[in-house]
Amino acid sequence: MGWAGRSNGELLELAAASGFDALVTVDRGFEYQQNESNLPIAVIVLLAHRNRFQDLRPRVPEIIDILANRPRAQILRVSA
Protein backbone atom coordinates (compact mmCIF):
# COMPACT_ATOMS: atom_id res chain seq x y z
CA MET A 1 0.00 0.00 0.00
CA GLY A 2 3.06 2.22 0.15
CA TRP A 3 2.60 2.94 3.85
CA ALA A 4 6.09 1.95 4.99
CA GLY A 5 7.64 4.33 7.46
CA ARG A 6 4.32 5.74 8.65
CA SER A 7 3.65 6.30 12.34
CA ASN A 8 1.05 4.17 14.10
CA GLY A 9 -1.39 7.07 14.18
CA GLU A 10 -0.96 7.65 10.45
CA LEU A 11 -1.43 3.94 9.75
CA LEU A 12 -4.69 3.94 11.68
CA GLU A 13 -6.02 6.95 9.79
CA LEU A 14 -4.93 5.57 6.41
CA ALA A 15 -6.46 2.17 7.16
CA ALA A 16 -9.75 3.70 8.27
CA ALA A 17 -9.90 6.01 5.23
CA SER A 18 -9.20 3.01 2.98
CA GLY A 19 -12.14 1.06 4.38
CA PHE A 20 -10.31 -1.35 6.65
CA ASP A 21 -12.21 -2.65 9.70
CA ALA A 22 -9.13 -3.43 11.77
CA LEU A 23 -5.37 -3.19 11.98
CA VAL A 24 -3.43 -6.29 13.06
CA THR A 25 -0.03 -5.66 14.63
CA VAL A 26 2.67 -7.37 16.67
CA ASP A 27 3.75 -4.02 18.13
CA ARG A 28 3.34 -4.55 21.89
CA GLY A 29 3.75 -0.85 22.53
CA PHE A 30 0.92 0.09 20.19
CA GLU A 31 -1.73 0.11 22.89
CA TYR A 32 0.36 2.49 25.00
CA GLN A 33 0.94 4.89 22.10
CA GLN A 34 -2.71 5.35 21.13
CA ASN A 35 -5.73 6.67 23.01
CA GLU A 36 -8.25 3.84 22.78
CA SER A 37 -11.18 6.26 22.92
CA ASN A 38 -9.97 7.96 19.70
CA LEU A 39 -9.37 4.87 17.57
CA PRO A 40 -11.03 5.04 14.13
CA ILE A 41 -10.96 1.21 13.75
CA ALA A 42 -10.27 -1.87 15.85
CA VAL A 43 -6.67 -2.81 16.59
CA ILE A 44 -5.71 -6.44 17.14
CA VAL A 45 -2.38 -6.82 18.95
CA LEU A 46 -0.78 -10.24 18.57
CA LEU A 47 1.20 -11.08 21.68
CA ALA A 48 3.85 -13.64 20.71
CA HIS A 49 7.33 -14.62 21.83
CA ARG A 50 8.49 -14.36 18.23
CA ASN A 51 7.09 -12.57 15.20
CA ARG A 52 7.66 -15.48 12.85
CA PHE A 53 4.71 -16.51 10.70
CA GLN A 54 4.82 -20.10 11.95
CA ASP A 55 4.43 -18.80 15.52
CA LEU A 56 1.56 -16.46 14.63
CA ARG A 57 -0.31 -18.73 12.21
CA PRO A 58 -2.17 -20.74 14.91
CA ARG A 59 -3.92 -17.50 15.96
CA VAL A 60 -5.37 -16.81 12.50
CA PRO A 61 -8.72 -18.58 13.23
CA GLU A 62 -9.14 -16.45 16.37
CA ILE A 63 -8.41 -13.28 14.41
CA ILE A 64 -10.94 -14.30 11.75
CA ASP A 65 -13.57 -14.87 14.46
CA ILE A 66 -12.89 -11.44 15.92
CA LEU A 67 -13.19 -9.79 12.51
CA ALA A 68 -16.37 -11.72 11.68
CA ASN A 69 -18.03 -10.07 14.69
CA ARG A 70 -17.20 -6.59 13.32
CA PRO A 71 -15.36 -5.34 16.42
CA ARG A 72 -15.91 -1.78 17.51
CA ALA A 73 -12.95 0.60 17.59
CA GLN A 74 -11.01 -0.85 20.49
CA ILE A 75 -7.74 -2.62 21.22
CA LEU A 76 -8.02 -6.40 21.33
CA ARG A 77 -5.21 -8.69 22.44
CA VAL A 78 -4.60 -12.16 21.02
CA SER A 79 -1.97 -14.34 22.65
CA ALA A 80 0.10 -16.40 20.26
Side-chain angles (χ1 to χ4, degrees), residues 12-80:
L12 280 170
E13 293 301 325
L14 287 167
S18 297
F20 288 87
D21 295 322
L23 174 74
V24 179
T25 183
V26 293
D27 182 352
R28 290 175 178 252
F30 195 97
E31 61 188 303
Y32 305 107
Q33 299 166 2
Q34 302 299 317
N35 182 343
E36 191 166 2
S37 64
N38 294 332
L39 292 175
I41 58 174
V43 175
I44 300 172
V45 179
L46 292 174
L47 304 171
H49 295 290
R50 296 184 196 159
N51 296 337
R52 298 180 321 174
F53 181 71
Q54 59 263 38
D55 296 324
L56 302 174
R57 186 176 188 178
R59 300 283 55 100
V60 169
E62 186 175 353
I63 293 167
I64 290 170
D65 286 343
I66 290 169
L67 295 173
N69 291 315
R70 311 279 293 176
R72 61 181 174 84
Q74 63 181 332
I75 296 174
L76 303 147
R77 291 155 204 87
V78 173
S79 294

